[in-house]
Amino acid sequence: MKSSFKIFSAFGIPVELHISFLLLMLFIYVIAFLGIISVYIAFLITLLFVTVVVHELSHSYVAKRYGVKVGKIVLLPIGGVSAMEEIPKDPDQELKIAAAGPLANILIALACFIGLLIIGGVGSLTFNSFFISNTPSVDLSLFLANFLGVNLVLGLFNLLPAFPMDGGRVLRAFFAKRMSYTKATKAAASVGKQFAILMVILGIFFNFILILIAIFIYLGADQEYKNVMISSKLEGIKVRDIMTKDVNTLTPDTSVSEALNTMFKQRHMGYPVKDHGELVGIVTFDDISKIPENQRDTLIGNIMTKKLILANPEEPAMNTLEKITKNNIGRLPVIENGNLVGIISKTDIMRVLEVLDTKPPE
């Protein structure tokens, strides 16, 4: 069952709604129908998610201009997520990509302010009008003030100098102009963690939600630094350097029982499946373990994974690790000129990282 559904495409990028988002919107309009919140608040929340899409599309549009592939944008209850490849390490490019989203929100807020000027509603723009209230009386001035407020808050919040916020990437781009990319990431992540600790302290005294946001920021900053450290260690290492070249394969008419015996004998947990010399699938111990013991005469061709994610021998090892992690799989067949030339697993890459960690400095 698909977890998200495409609603439209922009700049060649599919925009999808996650099913959890649809359930959230249904819940919002149900409680609006019941009178718990006003229809006006439900409408504003809907528009807020529209601006989140604009925010993510702004990131993606600028990223595409720099050659970054963007698979899709998925709208979740917590916001939008852009499925991008690795952000360029060029500081100027990263800065522009990161700043594009918050800038879009600030421009929307500016448009609302111009609208207030045109209709003469600036006088009603107070601090309280920035907050959405369950008011029975709504006019255009209040709507523009509310929409200005949510976009300004969204834009400024994303500019907080902490990963995984856009501001953390802007800060790293600033540092990267003065030091190495790895050191810049460490410095920006450190600022993010300190900012998170400050938010925890404020959350204790003011609002518990700040503590939850702080945990999200702290873990995000830590993960970003770890990813960059791994990328730095794997720099220059290609799939060809670490893949297993002598690949054992199975055929579609191999039984589950025979495949299980092969796995125990050879101590490999996954095998490409070839039919008349052509790669047609891959089968893992996880696939086989789902088959009941009394059905182990089932053929591999009936349970193998046919939709394959592949690696290339000249591909950077870091790219392969990202594919493995993103798709939650253990190994990838390595294909060159249409032929199976090897297999690479997450264990292979982790083993290389362990060796590099223990290698004494030159």
Side-chain angles (χ1 to χ4, degrees), residues 76-91:
L76 299 160
I78 59 172
V81 177
S82 298
M84 292 187 194
E85 286 187 347
E86 188 178 6
I87 298 296
K89 293 184 179 180
D90 180 282

Side-chain angles (χ1 to χ4, degrees), residues 8 15 32 43 133 149 165 199 206 237 263 282 285 292 305 314:
F8 67 92
V15 178
F43 175 67
S133 59
M165 316 304 293
M199 288 184 70
F206 296 103
I237 298 176
M263 288 181 178
I282 189 168
F285 181 77
T305 300
E314 299 305 314

Side-chain angles (χ1 to χ4, degrees), residues 6 17 27 29 32-33 38 44 46 52 83 103 118 151 184 215 222 224 241 272 294 332 341 359:
K6 179 181 174 182
L17 291 181
F27 173 75
Y29 279 95
F33 177 78
S38 67
L44 270 180
T46 304
V52 169
L103 180 60
I118 293 172
N151 273 281
I215 293 172
D222 189 57
E224 183 73 22
D241 301 326
N294 61 354
L332 299 181
V341 295
K359 183 179 178 181

Side-chain angles (χ1 to χ4, degrees), residues 3 31 60 129 147 164 167 180 229 251 253 273 326:
S3 60
I31 62 175
S60 300
S129 69
F147 204 47
S180 71
M229 286 300 296
T251 62
D253 57 1
V273 181
K326 180 181 176 182

Side-chain angles (χ1 to χ4, degrees), residues 128-201:
N128 288 334
S129 69
F130 273 51
F131 298 92
I132 303 172
S133 59
N134 211 13
T135 175
S137 177
V138 180
D139 58 22
L140 184 57
S141 295
L142 179 61
F143 166 73
L144 288 174
N146 285 159
F147 204 47
L148 185 157
V150 294
N151 273 281
L152 191 61
V153 169
L154 186 61
L156 295 179
F157 176 74
N158 274 280
L159 283 174
L160 292 177
F163 289 118
M165 316 304 293
D166 298 326
R169 303 188 184 281
V170 170
L171 184 62
R172 174 169 63 187
F174 174 79
F175 286 146
K177 289 185 177 183
R178 295 156 179 80
M179 59 185 75
S180 71
Y181 189 78
T182 303
K183 288 182 179 179
T185 302
K186 184 177 182 180
S190 178
V191 171
K193 289 179 179 180
Q194 292 173 33
F195 194 87
I197 292 170
L198 177 61
M199 288 184 70
V200 168
I201 295 171

